[in-house]
Amino acid sequence: MALRVASALAGLALAEALAGQQAQELHKRGHTGARADRADAFGATRTDRSGACDCMNWAEVYYNKHASCGRAKELYFLSKYGFSAAYAATEPITGLPHKVCNDFFKNFKDESCVNVDLYPFPRDNMSDKQWCYVSNDCNDLNGGEYATNQVGFAQGGWNNLASTSTLSWKICDPSVDSILKYKSVGELVDLGQLSDVSLSRLLRLAYPAVNITWGEAMYIMEAIDEAWAPRVTLAEVVDSLQAPTSAWGSRAVDVHSMLSDIVKSEQGTILDSPGHGDNFHVIRGREVWVVQRIALGDMAYLGGHFATEFDVNCTIGCAPVRWEAPSPVDLETL
């Protein structure tokens, strides 16, 4: 009898110890961890917690209904002006929001981070940031937002007009994440064709944009191309150009200074068009690319061939394609 009592007491002591350890662990994790646990029940977790903060494939996220397009940062370019992102996932989306959510994000079969702001004008604290969806097990969102469950999703939208998501998202870190910003124009075109998404939209979601038109940049880029020489660095070419004086006006001086820095950085950058249109120019180093909607753009779009709606062609400073020399033909074996 005494043995059974002692055994029962030992079992209770072990159970209390385990419960205390669990409570202590939950206390350490805090409120954010609890939110992630609640969201785990909705199938947006990963069994491998070591990769919990890896970016998730955009198309898979929406296909598996782990998130609703518009409730995170897909439509930040509208919500920053007062558009209620809380309603975006519950109302029929038309126009530009439809093109962004349905035509682009839901078809984009890649894990790379994209710009938070599709149209970064005027600039704010999100203009230079890229983001992606991550597992609800991720506890390092770098300024992103933790997930909620379906109840919180509904309450946030209808009761609080707050944008909430059932999947966590993070601000990306260039040292660990794949970011579209650092890919070449050719690489972005290949990604767009693979996923069959708008190349114009993809470039805007990849590169920063500046309020400089092609008309203002044309003579500088042409001068850089003319001064280019194989044994001269790009920085040396840019610095050799004669900068405009104040007699040309402050705008000319500012544009020359901005373009010089952009070219030397070799960071792909969009020269914005009037009205933030879909046709624009991209500069990357001394390269100039033209993004132009094709004559049959309506047919391409209505036919669902989104990657063919726009042509992306290099017009200045483009190195020719280097073809590998064909292997010699063995005439004896023919």
Side-chain angles (χ1 to χ4, degrees):
M1 179 68 179
L3 184 61
R4 286 199 300 269
V5 171
S7 178
L9 290 174
L12 287 173
L14 178 60
E16 288 182 4
L18 289 174
Q21 183 180 4
Q22 186 178 17
Q24 201 172 37
E25 193 66 31
L26 286 173
H27 178 72
K28 287 180 182 178
R29 290 171 61 188
H31 179 63
T32 57
R35 292 186 67 187
D37 284 345
R38 288 198 298 271
D40 285 352
F42 289 81
T45 61
R46 292 187 180 181
T47 55
D48 180 11
R49 289 178 181 267
S50 63
C53 293
D54 292 346
C55 291
M56 303 175 74
N57 185 288
W58 294 94
E60 287 183 4
V61 164
Y62 305 113
Y63 180 80
N64 293 319
K65 295 181 171 54
H66 287 169
S68 296
C69 187
R71 280 296 187 99
K73 292 300 177 186
E74 295 95 341
L75 302 178
Y76 178 78
F77 65 96
L78 291 176
S79 61
K80 68 178 181 179
Y81 291 115
F83 172 81
S84 179
Y87 285 156
T90 55
E91 291 185 346
I93 300 179
T94 58
L96 184 56
H98 175 89
K99 291 183 177 182
V100 171
C101 276
N102 291 64
D103 301 343
F104 183 86
F105 277 112
K106 292 185 179 181
N107 291 316
F108 190 41
K109 305 174 186 68
D110 197 77
E111 299 82 23
S112 297
C113 304
V114 303
N115 288 336
V116 171
D117 198 350
L118 180 65
Y119 301 109
F121 306 104
R123 296 181 61 80
D124 60 17
N125 62 345
M126 286 293 187
S127 295
D128 295 322
K129 292 181 172 60
Q130 292 79 35
W131 73 287
C132 70
Y133 282 110
V134 293
S135 165
N136 293 336
D137 291 330
C138 179
N139 286 318
D140 184 15
L141 302 183
N142 194 27
E145 291 182 357
Y146 288 93
T148 185
N149 54 25
Q150 292 288 359
V151 174
F153 178 86
Q155 288 180 342
W158 296 110
N159 299 336
N160 304 319
L161 297 181
S163 177
T164 57
S165 177
T166 52
L167 191 64
S168 297
W169 62 270
K170 73 171 184 178
I171 298 295
C172 296
D173 180 355
S175 64
V176 296
D177 298 311
S178 171
I179 295 182
L180 293 181
K181 175 180 178 180
Y182 300 117
K183 296 185 183 297
S184 68
V185 178
E187 289 173 323
L188 292 175
V189 169
D190 289 342
L191 281 177
Q193 291 174 342
L194 180 65
S195 295
D196 196 9
V197 294
S198 167
L199 301 182
S200 174
R201 197 90 59 229
L202 177 58
L203 286 164
R204 278 202 178 271
L205 284 167
Y207 290 154
V210 292
N211 192 19
I212 298 175
T213 65
W214 172 239
E216 294 174 308
M218 179 176 63
Y219 295 107
I220 298 175
M221 298 308 298
E222 288 178 345
I224 291 173
D225 187 56
E226 291 174 2
W228 173 257
R231 294 181 180 83
V232 181
T233 67
L234 184 58
E236 289 172 339
V237 171
V238 174
D239 292 339
S240 69
L241 299 181
Q242 183 176 358
T245 64
S246 57
W248 291 86
S250 60
R251 177 63 179 175
V253 175
D254 292 342
V255 167
H256 182 90
S257 176
M258 291 172 61
L259 278 177
S260 296
D261 291 340
I262 291 171
V263 171
K264 287 190 286 187
S265 73
E266 299 190 58
Q267 167 60 60
T269 303
I270 292 172
L271 304 179
D272 202 32
S273 53
H276 313 312
D278 293 331
N279 297 330
F280 49 82
H281 286 73
V282 176
I283 58 175
R284 188 173 186 270
R286 67 187 185 96
E287 298 174 358
V288 176
W289 296 76
V290 179
V291 181
Q292 183 74 38
R293 196 167 191 258
I294 65 173
L296 296 177
D298 287 342
M299 297 300 293
Y301 177 78
L302 293 174
H305 301 291
F306 304 128
T308 64
E309 186 182 358
F310 290 86
D311 278 335
V312 180
N313 296 306
C314 191
T315 58
I316 295 178
C318 311
V321 177
R322 181 176 297 172
W323 297 97
E324 294 293 334
S327 57
V329 178
D330 186 356
L331 299 178
E332 293 181 0
T333 60
L334 290 178

